[in-house]
Amino acid sequence: MQLKYCSFLIPLLAVVFEPVQTFQCIDPDKQLFSNLWANGLLDVKKKTSRFFQNDDIFNNFTCEYLPPSDTVPTSVHKLRPGDIKIVAALGDSLTAANGADASTIIGVANNYRGLSWSIGGYYKPLLSKNANDDVEEHFSLPNALKRYNPDIKGFAEGEEGPGEEGANLDMAVQGSKAVNLTDQANNLIEELKSNPDYDFENDWKLLTILIGGNNLCQYCVDERSTPDNFAADVQAVLDLLQASVPRMLVNLVTIFNINVVAALGMDDLVCKAAHECFCYCAMLDDAYSQLTLQRFNGLYRGNLHNIINSGRYDTTEDFTVVIQPFLENTSPPFNAAGTEPDLSYFAPDCFHFSSKGHNYAGQALWNNMFQPIGKKNQAWKLGEELDCPSEENPYIFTSQNSADL
């Protein structure tokens, strides 16, 4: 099947108060914005109660302060949260926070990186007093780590494209697949080595990776997206990092069930058009396509578990990879009446996280980090209590320090 690679530059409309960027999609049959334009849907804002109105969120961060280690640790298996000096991230639009503060479908093209669940650390909207730079305002991994090391570096700020100044060490690029992670990792390594703000040899680094959504969304038109190729591409980037970067712990977050998310908002014309554009393969409704998608989804996760469980990245004291599985069995939250999915957790395309979604994904990632291997949550549980480091169990859990629990 021949692909049409579509790139649209949307003119600034008087009714739209969001910056304009190029929106790209891979779509064998449809053109997203031309269809939406023809149907007068480009300026449809999230007006109903089904969508989030960007109300302020207050997170009760109940973890007590735990001081960093008395001396800089020499083992990745003995890292307290305050020992982390640098945060970084690789991935796709879910890490670049596409659409996180968008009110229309056009805004989904924008990277609201300062709100990203895994790497965001500052985002101040116009006319708002909330800078989203503290964990009680916005729960992201860097904001939580600031409670233990307020001088942590690398987190993303504001609304920035890939490689722009405020993106900092958020190397994620929208549309990326597993094969693109190596380029992102090379950019990260170059930045860590060349930027005088970072001590490449001595600083402990926490890197979070989430990839696979675009592979699954395009599995039926992309030969590189087979489960074996996906695993090989992820292994390649992990091998590169292990060989090139000292003092690094990698959070490898496994992908959610793509068919569940792709089905969201199918009674909404904007969401349906968006999903047909960038998640075409998940929209195929014949039995073979749906079974293949589910099989690939499971094999993506299973193959990564096999690689990490092999001990391939437990051969040195200054590098390891930990799978954080909180998305594996996560289903979209339902509304209070339990009658339909609560789309307030999603951007106007009913696919990417809203600011609210990023907030709770950040909390779920934090909890996974302080749950031992074999006892990690595999679903995002709204309202769950925080898992916290303590003097009894002060370290971010790895395969080695989980062995006695």
Side-chain angles (χ1 to χ4, degrees), residues 203-257:
D203 284 347
W204 279 104
K205 310 158 195 75
L206 179 62
L207 172 67
T208 302
I209 302 174
L210 171 62
I211 200 71
N214 291 304
N215 293 86
L216 287 168
C217 281
Q218 298 164 24
Y219 83 89
C220 64
V221 292
D222 177 25
E223 294 180 356
R224 192 68 207 166
S225 290
T226 65
D228 287 347
N229 286 337
F230 174 79
D233 290 337
V234 175
Q235 180 174 301
V237 75
L238 295 176
D239 287 352
L240 170 65
L241 292 165
Q242 184 183 41
S244 306
V245 185
R247 296 192 170 184
M248 174 172 278
L249 189 156
V250 179
N251 286 325
L252 181 60
V253 180
T254 39
I255 193 67
F256 48 83
N257 291 315

XYZ file of all heavy atoms in Angstrom, residues 203-257:
428
model
N 27.985 12.950 37.157
C 26.580 13.122 37.536
C 25.792 11.839 37.272
O 25.921 11.222 36.203
C 25.942 14.258 36.736
C 26.349 15.633 37.230
O 26.915 15.733 38.334
O 26.099 16.623 36.496
N 24.922 11.474 38.220
C 23.995 10.368 37.994
C 22.826 10.873 37.172
O 22.247 11.917 37.459
C 23.514 9.777 39.306
C 24.497 8.816 39.900
C 25.338 9.022 40.944
C 24.741 7.478 39.435
N 26.104 7.898 41.173
C 25.757 6.933 40.267
C 24.212 6.687 38.413
C 26.240 5.634 40.097
C 24.694 5.394 38.251
C 25.695 4.879 39.082
N 22.469 10.108 36.143
C 21.473 10.508 35.156
C 20.301 9.526 35.195
O 20.505 8.317 35.245
C 22.084 10.530 33.760
C 23.397 11.310 33.693
C 24.245 10.907 32.518
C 25.663 11.400 32.653
N 26.464 10.613 33.639
N 19.087 10.063 35.122
C 17.870 9.246 35.060
C 17.197 9.510 33.722
O 16.727 10.623 33.464
C 16.929 9.588 36.212
C 15.602 8.817 36.257
C 15.844 7.317 36.432
C 14.718 9.332 37.379
N 17.162 8.498 32.874
C 16.586 8.613 31.539
C 15.300 7.804 31.470
O 15.271 6.643 31.884
C 17.575 8.084 30.498
C 17.068 7.952 29.056
C 16.782 9.326 28.453
C 18.072 7.187 28.198
N 14.230 8.403 30.936
C 12.965 7.701 30.763
C 12.659 7.564 29.270
O 12.745 8.545 28.523
C 11.817 8.435 31.470
O 12.128 8.558 32.870
C 10.508 7.681 31.306
N 12.314 6.346 28.858
C 11.996 6.054 27.455
C 10.603 5.448 27.366
O 10.283 4.503 28.079
C 13.009 5.060 26.845
C 14.444 5.593 26.938
C 12.646 4.751 25.397
C 15.502 4.593 26.471
N 9.779 6.003 26.489
C 8.503 5.392 26.100
C 8.421 5.446 24.582
O 8.524 6.529 23.994
C 7.315 6.124 26.727
C 5.931 5.695 26.202
C 5.657 4.228 26.499
C 4.831 6.564 26.812
N 8.260 4.302 23.949
C 8.185 4.249 22.495
C 7.283 3.083 22.102
O 7.094 2.146 22.880
C 9.608 4.080 21.878
C 9.622 4.503 20.402
C 10.122 2.675 22.083
C 9.490 5.985 20.174
N 6.752 3.146 20.897
C 5.970 2.033 20.375
C 4.604 2.418 19.843
O 4.010 1.672 19.062
N 4.079 3.568 20.250
C 2.750 3.963 19.794
C 2.678 4.119 18.281
O 1.749 3.625 17.633
N 3.667 4.785 17.707
C 3.650 4.993 16.260
C 3.941 3.697 15.509
O 3.403 3.479 14.414
C 4.654 6.082 15.869
C 4.227 7.449 16.347
O 3.141 7.918 16.037
N 5.066 8.088 17.144
N 4.777 2.844 16.086
C 4.993 1.536 15.463
C 3.685 0.761 15.352
O 3.356 0.188 14.309
C 5.999 0.718 16.274
C 7.394 1.301 16.243
O 7.714 2.179 17.040
N 8.224 0.816 15.341
N 2.918 0.725 16.442
C 1.660 -0.013 16.440
C 0.613 0.657 15.555
O -0.133 -0.023 14.844
C 1.134 -0.151 17.864
C 1.905 -1.139 18.752
C 1.483 -0.988 20.203
C 1.686 -2.577 18.280
N 0.560 1.972 15.598
C -0.421 2.690 14.792
C -0.179 2.503 13.296
O -1.082 2.687 12.478
C -0.396 4.180 15.130
S -1.268 4.610 16.656
N 1.050 2.125 12.922
C 1.398 1.995 11.510
C 1.943 0.600 11.176
O 2.595 0.411 10.152
C 2.423 3.073 11.141
C 1.876 4.482 11.330
C 2.950 5.547 11.352
O 4.024 5.350 10.807
N 2.656 6.669 11.992
N 1.642 -0.379 12.028
C 2.221 -1.707 11.831
C 1.837 -2.303 10.485
O 2.602 -3.068 9.878
C 1.776 -2.652 12.963
C 0.415 -3.281 12.737
C 0.281 -4.488 12.045
C -0.744 -2.646 13.170
C -0.970 -5.041 11.801
C -1.992 -3.198 12.930
C -2.104 -4.392 12.242
O -3.331 -4.933 11.986
N 0.659 -1.958 9.977
C 0.153 -2.569 8.745
C 0.737 -1.945 7.485
O 0.506 -2.462 6.380
C -1.369 -2.499 8.708
S -2.042 -0.813 8.647
N 1.483 -0.862 7.621
C 2.063 -0.198 6.453
C 3.562 0.038 6.615
O 4.170 0.722 5.801
C 1.357 1.153 6.183
C -0.069 0.931 5.724
C 1.396 2.057 7.405
N 4.156 -0.514 7.669
C 5.572 -0.274 7.950
C 6.248 -1.590 8.298
O 6.036 -2.146 9.387
C 5.716 0.731 9.104
C 7.173 0.964 9.488
O 8.053 0.763 8.634
O 7.408 1.335 10.661
N 7.080 -2.086 7.413
C 7.742 -3.367 7.628
C 8.688 -3.336 8.825
O 8.991 -4.382 9.408
C 8.516 -3.772 6.373
C 7.623 -4.066 5.172
C 8.425 -4.456 3.939
O 9.677 -4.413 4.013
O 7.795 -4.797 2.915
N 9.154 -2.151 9.197
C 10.100 -2.043 10.312
C 9.411 -2.236 11.659
O 10.081 -2.361 12.692
C 10.791 -0.682 10.270
C 11.998 -0.534 11.191
C 13.153 -1.408 10.740
N 14.018 -1.777 11.867
C 14.938 -2.728 11.811
N 15.120 -3.408 10.712
N 15.681 -3.003 12.865
N 8.077 -2.265 11.677
C 7.337 -2.298 12.934
C 6.895 -3.699 13.361
O 5.990 -3.838 14.177
C 6.114 -1.368 12.853
O 6.520 -0.017 12.831
N 7.537 -4.743 12.846
C 7.267 -6.080 13.375
C 7.786 -6.162 14.804
O 8.687 -5.406 15.191
C 7.957 -7.158 12.533
O 9.385 -6.992 12.648
C 7.535 -7.092 11.079
N 7.264 -7.066 15.619
C 7.742 -7.175 17.001
C 9.243 -7.425 17.115
O 9.916 -6.846 17.982
C 6.927 -8.345 17.559
C 5.651 -8.292 16.793
C 6.050 -7.902 15.397
N 9.804 -8.259 16.247
C 11.243 -8.527 16.314
C 12.055 -7.287 15.967
O 13.071 -6.996 16.617
C 11.606 -9.676 15.372
C 11.151 -11.024 15.895
O 10.783 -11.112 17.083
O 11.156 -11.995 15.108
N 11.649 -6.560 14.940
C 12.361 -5.336 14.573
C 12.238 -4.280 15.663
O 13.202 -3.566 15.965
C 11.824 -4.785 13.255
C 12.270 -5.583 12.056
O 13.290 -6.285 12.105
N 11.524 -5.506 10.972
N 11.042 -4.171 16.222
C 10.846 -3.211 17.320
C 11.807 -3.511 18.466
O 12.495 -2.614 18.974
C 9.401 -3.265 17.809
C 9.129 -2.433 19.030
C 8.944 -1.074 18.932
C 9.063 -3.026 20.297
C 8.698 -0.299 20.064
C 8.812 -2.266 21.424
C 8.631 -0.894 21.307
N 11.874 -4.769 18.890
C 12.758 -5.143 19.995
C 14.215 -4.889 19.644
O 14.998 -4.409 20.479
C 12.534 -6.608 20.356
N 14.602 -5.202 18.406
C 15.985 -4.984 17.985
C 16.346 -3.504 18.008
O 17.466 -3.126 18.400
C 16.196 -5.562 16.591
N 15.411 -2.651 17.610
C 15.681 -1.208 17.604
C 15.807 -0.658 19.017
O 16.655 0.214 19.284
C 14.573 -0.477 16.846
C 14.614 -0.750 15.345
O 15.691 -1.118 14.838
O 13.561 -0.605 14.685
N 14.967 -1.133 19.934
C 15.088 -0.690 21.328
C 16.383 -1.220 21.935
O 17.096 -0.495 22.638
C 13.868 -1.135 22.156
C 14.060 -0.782 23.623
C 12.595 -0.482 21.622
N 16.710 -2.467 21.666
C 17.957 -3.029 22.183
C 19.161 -2.257 21.658
O 20.130 -2.016 22.396
C 18.083 -4.503 21.788
C 19.354 -5.166 22.299
C 19.385 -6.650 22.008
O 18.506 -7.391 22.441
N 20.388 -7.086 21.262
N 19.112 -1.834 20.413
C 20.225 -1.088 19.829
C 20.485 0.206 20.584
O 21.646 0.567 20.854
C 19.953 -0.803 18.353
N 19.418 0.927 20.939
C 19.632 2.193 21.643
C 20.097 1.950 23.074
O 20.952 2.691 23.600
C 18.367 3.078 21.593
C 17.275 2.588 22.521
C 18.721 4.520 21.933
N 19.600 0.900 23.718
C 20.056 0.595 25.065
C 21.526 0.159 25.061
O 22.296 0.531 25.958
C 19.177 -0.484 25.690
C 17.713 -0.091 25.932
C 16.928 -1.288 26.465
C 17.600 1.088 26.896
N 21.918 -0.611 24.049
C 23.330 -0.998 23.922
C 24.218 0.227 23.754
O 25.303 0.322 24.336
C 23.513 -1.932 22.725
C 22.968 -3.331 22.960
O 22.568 -3.642 24.104
O 22.940 -4.115 21.988
N 23.758 1.164 22.924
C 24.510 2.399 22.706
C 24.681 3.181 24.001
O 25.785 3.650 24.333
C 23.802 3.260 21.662
C 24.324 4.693 21.476
C 25.748 4.676 20.932
C 23.404 5.482 20.546
N 23.601 3.328 24.749
C 23.665 4.078 26.005
C 24.574 3.391 27.008
O 25.370 4.044 27.700
C 22.258 4.239 26.583
C 21.319 5.145 25.782
C 19.879 4.943 26.220
C 21.716 6.608 25.927
N 24.466 2.077 27.109
C 25.313 1.341 28.047
C 26.792 1.509 27.715
O 27.629 1.662 28.614
C 24.939 -0.138 28.030
C 25.705 -0.982 29.051
C 25.354 -2.449 28.951
O 25.215 -2.996 27.853
N 25.193 -3.110 30.083
N 27.105 1.524 26.432
C 28.502 1.633 26.011
C 29.042 3.055 26.091
O 30.253 3.248 26.166
C 28.642 1.115 24.578
N 28.141 4.046 26.106
C 28.584 5.429 25.923
C 28.400 6.345 27.114
O 29.094 7.368 27.211
C 27.836 6.043 24.726
O 27.962 5.260 23.574
N 27.456 6.027 28.002
C 27.091 6.981 29.056
C 27.357 6.375 30.432
O 26.747 5.376 30.805
C 25.602 7.377 28.960
C 25.283 8.447 29.993
C 25.274 7.870 27.555
N 28.243 6.981 31.196
C 28.461 6.503 32.563
C 27.368 6.988 33.506
O 26.711 7.995 33.262
C 29.811 7.121 32.931
C 29.868 8.391 32.127
C 29.133 8.093 30.848
N 27.144 6.232 34.551
C 26.245 6.617 35.637
C 24.842 6.973 35.144
O 24.394 8.111 35.224
C 26.846 7.753 36.462
C 28.126 7.323 37.175
C 28.602 8.290 38.225
N 29.671 7.692 39.013
C 30.249 8.249 40.063
N 29.852 9.446 40.473
N 31.212 7.638 40.727
N 24.163 5.960 34.639
C 22.813 6.169 34.115
C 21.896 5.032 34.542
O 22.243 3.861 34.447
C 22.827 6.273 32.590
C 21.428 6.346 31.965
S 21.417 6.688 30.178
C 21.614 8.483 30.201
N 20.687 5.411 35.004
C 19.600 4.478 35.232
C 18.514 4.799 34.211
O 18.111 5.957 34.065
C 19.054 4.599 36.651
C 18.050 3.538 37.126
C 18.064 3.431 38.650
C 16.620 3.815 36.670
N 18.037 3.775 33.499
C 17.028 3.961 32.454
C 15.697 3.392 32.915
O 15.604 2.207 33.263
C 17.452 3.281 31.143
C 16.364 3.459 30.078
C 18.784 3.837 30.644
N 14.667 4.245 32.923
C 13.276 3.790 33.049
C 12.781 3.437 31.658
O 12.665 4.319 30.795
C 12.372 4.900 33.594
C 12.563 5.176 35.059
O 12.821 4.277 35.839
N 12.416 6.443 35.445
N 12.484 2.172 31.406
C 11.917 1.759 30.132
C 10.429 1.482 30.356
O 10.054 0.469 30.959
C 12.629 0.518 29.602
C 12.155 -0.014 28.249
C 12.325 1.039 27.149
C 12.908 -1.282 27.880
N 9.580 2.403 29.899
C 8.142 2.308 30.118
C 7.523 1.542 28.951
O 7.693 1.919 27.781
C 7.501 3.699 30.251
C 5.997 3.587 30.486
C 8.160 4.478 31.389
N 6.820 0.453 29.251
C 6.219 -0.370 28.206
C 4.872 0.203 27.762
O 4.170 0.856 28.526
C 6.066 -1.815 28.697
O 5.670 -1.827 30.078
C 7.374 -2.572 28.568
N 4.523 -0.079 26.519
C 3.408 0.596 25.851
C 2.051 0.068 26.333
O 1.915 -1.086 26.727
C 3.551 0.441 24.316
C 2.621 1.375 23.563
C 3.329 -1.017 23.908
C 2.960 2.835 23.725
N 1.068 0.929 26.261
C -0.312 0.599 26.624
C -0.986 -0.185 25.491
O -0.409 -0.391 24.415
C -1.100 1.873 26.920
C -0.930 2.948 25.878
C -1.674 2.944 24.713
C -0.003 3.973 26.076
C -1.512 3.922 23.753
C 0.174 4.963 25.114
C -0.576 4.939 23.949
N -2.216 -0.623 25.721
C -2.999 -1.298 24.688
C -3.527 -0.262 23.701
O -4.455 0.483 24.004
C -4.156 -2.083 25.319
C -3.670 -3.266 26.118
O -2.800 -4.009 25.675
N -4.219 -3.456 27.310
